[in-house]
Amino acid sequence: MSDEHFMRDAIAQALAGAGEGEPPFGALIVTAEGRVLSRAHDTVRQHADMTRHAEVAAVRAACAVRGPDLSGCTLYTTTEPCPMCFTAAWLARISRIVFGSTMLEVGVITGGLQREAAVAAAAMNSMTGEEITLVGGVLREACLEPFRTRTAA
């Protein structure tokens, strides 16, 4: 299975969240063998909790299935992970992060209404001493589309 295949699944999660009134972020965690361990979308509005990002939820759910070491797994996320989400993935020893759009692109499209710390994943990665493989731009336009069609949170 390709990165594009799994990114389509993450996009479906983002759209499901948007359909529930959440910001359109989606994520999933996949083993090296191609088995999906978890799927998630933002639930920040449902829980009135700004830490309920898709990536953190996906990491929590995958750890519940496999334990706290997700070495060899890939986090697929529709948007470059924020510092909180990147750190969750790094602490869980995720091996790869594949993302669609950057937070900078989301910020431009939403006119700054989608509030996130503007720290690039590559910058965070370079400070870890144990870098995660980062792959950006996968199905970028499809990942940005939900932000074009709604007002961000």
Side-chain angles (χ1 to χ4, degrees):
M1 304 251 188
S2 68
D3 286 341
E4 290 81 8
H5 169 82
F6 291 116
M7 187 59 74
R8 285 185 191 90
D9 194 338
I11 292 167
Q13 293 303 307
L15 294 173
E20 296 173 13
E22 298 289 348
F25 296 97
L28 59 140
I29 296 184
V30 180
T31 66
E33 299 77 35
R35 182 168 71 99
V36 177
L37 292 178
S38 62
R39 293 176 172 88
H41 61 73
D42 271 28
T43 57
V44 298
R45 289 188 174 151
Q46 175 188 347
H47 295 286
D49 179 349
M50 295 309 293
T51 68
R52 297 295 194 121
H53 289 195
E55 299 89 343
V56 171
V59 168
R60 282 184 186 133
C63 287
V65 171
R66 186 170 155 176
D69 187 342
L70 300 178
S71 297
C73 292
T74 298
L75 166 63
Y76 288 90
T77 178
T78 54
T79 304
E80 177 181 29
C82 73
M84 177 182 67
C85 294
F86 177 88
T87 301
W90 185 84
L91 288 170
R93 301 188 181 278
I94 294 279
S95 296
R96 293 175 73 226
I97 297 175
V98 176
F99 61 91
S101 65
T102 67
M103 272 312 303
L104 180 61
E105 292 168 323
V106 169
V108 169
I109 287 172
T110 65
L113 293 176
Q114 184 62 52
R115 187 167 184 250
E116 297 285 345
V119 180
M124 290 180 287
N125 205 23
S126 69
M127 292 186 274
T128 65
E130 296 176 32
E131 292 189 11
I132 297 172
T133 300
L134 299 175
V135 178
V138 176
L139 299 180
R140 177 182 165 272
E141 288 301 319
C143 292
L144 288 170
E145 187 58 30
F147 291 101
R148 289 187 176 101
T149 58
R150 70 179 286 278
T151 302

